[in-house]
Amino acid sequence: MNDHKDVALVFDMRSEATFYQCSLAKSVNFSIERFQEDTFIQWSKKSKQLENGSPVFKNKYQIHGFKRRRRHWCFIIGAHSSVNVDKFVLEMGKYTSKEQQAELLASLHTDEEKRDYLSLRNACLLYKALKNERLRELDLSICGFDKIAANYKHFCLGSDGQPLVARPAQADNYPNEIFPGRLYLGDWHHASDAHIIETLGITHILNITDTCENYLADSHPYLNYLHLNLHDEKETNVSEAFNEIFTFIKEATLPDAHDCTLHMNTPHAHIGQCPSTGESDEVTSASQEDGNGKRELPVSNQILEIDFKTCWTEVQTGA
């Protein structure tokens, strides 16, 4: 997500202190200290006020992106602790009225639990508000930011505002993630960047170009390469190589091959109209799924007397 400023808009609903401790680069903090539920309930009015300028937007790119949010991919981060989210998923469905929600909040024992509950509540309200605006692409992640940081540390900033992991040495960005932690699609810049290969734990590289060499074969002997000279021409029959390619990918990404990660190298890799990409063609889908590929979402519920049954159904089905 490092270069998503022209394509994606990331809303982080956590508290200010938690956000500044660790966050996704270029994300916008709609903190619980600054935003109450009324902001999202009266979104049509409040959003226009935000468009005219707000301290939450740190630069012109964020303001521009917010104004053009209907043409962007919007991603909402709900809470920090995955443990707390799991607890709220079970409890929130039992409390449907405003009074019951207040009762649930009062029953929480720690400040961290209360902050995560309020963050999650605001995330749900913002999702509903943006859904009503008919945004082109909208995703709500409530698995806990701790999981995002654990799996995508190379996209995160620390409390000093600096990346937790150094930027790539050769490439401008990281490759597309097709399957979380398993399969990536990139170009020769990525395949030749040792920092990327090491950071993502790449073990296999599929090179289907007639112009690129196996750049790291000598310096990284543990890498397994499959190099097929497929000419980048309309007349090339790529189907002839499918069986060999599929076998190589299957062997590198089998469920029991826990230490294998595949990078597919093409001269100029792009994924057309992928809603989860930034300008750098990067994907963060793991923040929406657990280890079994299932979305971690709460049950149908009403929050502050707003019916979220449709909201949950739409998120779960991708409608």
Side-chain angles (χ1 to χ4, degrees), residues 71-233:
R71 302 183 64 181
H72 284 56
W73 171 66
C74 290
F75 181 67
I76 305 171
I77 298 171
H80 183 77
S81 169
S82 297
V83 174
N84 288 339
V85 170
D86 291 340
K87 182 187 302 184
F88 301 149
V89 165
L90 297 176
E91 294 298 323
M92 288 174 69
K94 302 176 184 177
Y95 297 81
T96 57
S97 71
K98 213 170 187 179
E99 292 74 18
Q100 289 174 324
Q101 290 289 321
E103 180 184 345
L104 172 59
L105 181 60
S107 69
L108 301 178
H109 300 293
T110 67
D111 290 340
E112 181 187 53
E113 289 178 328
K114 293 178 181 179
R115 287 193 298 266
D116 275 348
Y117 167 77
L118 293 173
S119 301
L120 182 58
R121 179 205 64 186
N122 284 358
C124 298
L125 292 169
L126 177 61
Y127 179 90
K128 185 67 175 179
L130 294 177
K131 195 69 177 178
N132 288 338
E133 290 186 333
R134 300 184 180 276
L135 266 67
R136 186 177 66 178
E137 299 291 347
L138 176 63
D139 284 303
L140 170 62
S141 171
I142 49 176
C143 67
F145 183 81
D146 53 354
K147 286 190 176 181
I148 297 177
N151 290 283
Y152 298 94
K153 186 178 293 186
H154 48 287
F155 292 149
C156 294
L157 303 179
S159 58
D160 58 356
Q162 298 300 312
L164 296 181
V165 177
R167 289 297 304 265
Q170 303 293 333
D172 293 330
N173 48 62
Y174 285 88
N176 288 289
E177 184 181 69
I178 308 302
F179 297 122
R182 288 286 185 180
L183 182 62
Y184 298 85
L185 174 64
D187 58 23
W188 71 270
H189 295 95
H190 304 120
S192 62
D193 194 318
H195 173 78
I196 289 179
I197 300 302
E198 295 165 3
T199 298
L200 299 181
I202 302 295
T203 59
H204 292 64
I205 296 181
L206 172 61
N207 184 351
I208 56 174
T209 74
D210 60 336
T211 57
C212 302
E213 57 185 284
N214 296 337
Y215 297 103
L216 302 178
D218 294 332
S219 61
H220 294 65
Y222 65 86
L223 289 174
N224 295 284
Y225 279 93
L226 173 61
H227 190 178
L228 303 175
N229 290 308
L230 299 180
H231 297 284
D232 190 12
E233 299 174 354

Side-chain angles (χ1 to χ4, degrees), residues 48-60:
K48 289 182 173 60
Q49 296 175 357
L50 290 171
E51 290 177 4
N52 293 326
S54 171
V56 300
F57 302 117
K58 302 303 181 184
N59 54 57
K60 63 180 182 180

Side-chain angles (χ1 to χ4, degrees), residues 9-20:
L9 185 59
V10 180
F11 297 96
D12 191 322
M13 313 303 290
R14 298 176 297 147
S15 67
E16 290 181 355
T18 309
F19 175 82
Y20 285 109

Side-chain angles (χ1 to χ4, degrees), residues 256-315:
D256 57 350
H258 297 295
D259 297 326
C260 294
T261 306
L262 175 68
H263 171 78
M264 297 189 295
N265 176 35
T266 65
H268 305 285
H270 297 283
I271 295 185
Q273 298 182 356
C274 178
S276 300
T277 59
E279 186 177 53
S280 58
D281 288 333
E282 295 154 357
V283 180
T284 56
S285 58
S287 62
Q288 305 163 44
E289 300 178 348
D290 62 15
N292 298 318
K294 297 180 180 179
R295 294 190 176 219
E296 300 181 359
L297 297 167
V299 295
S300 297
N301 180 41
Q302 284 185 318
I303 298 179
L304 301 177
E305 301 180 334
I306 293 181
D307 184 8
F308 276 85
K309 182 176 181 180
T310 303
C311 170
W312 300 138
T313 302
E314 290 174 348
V315 176

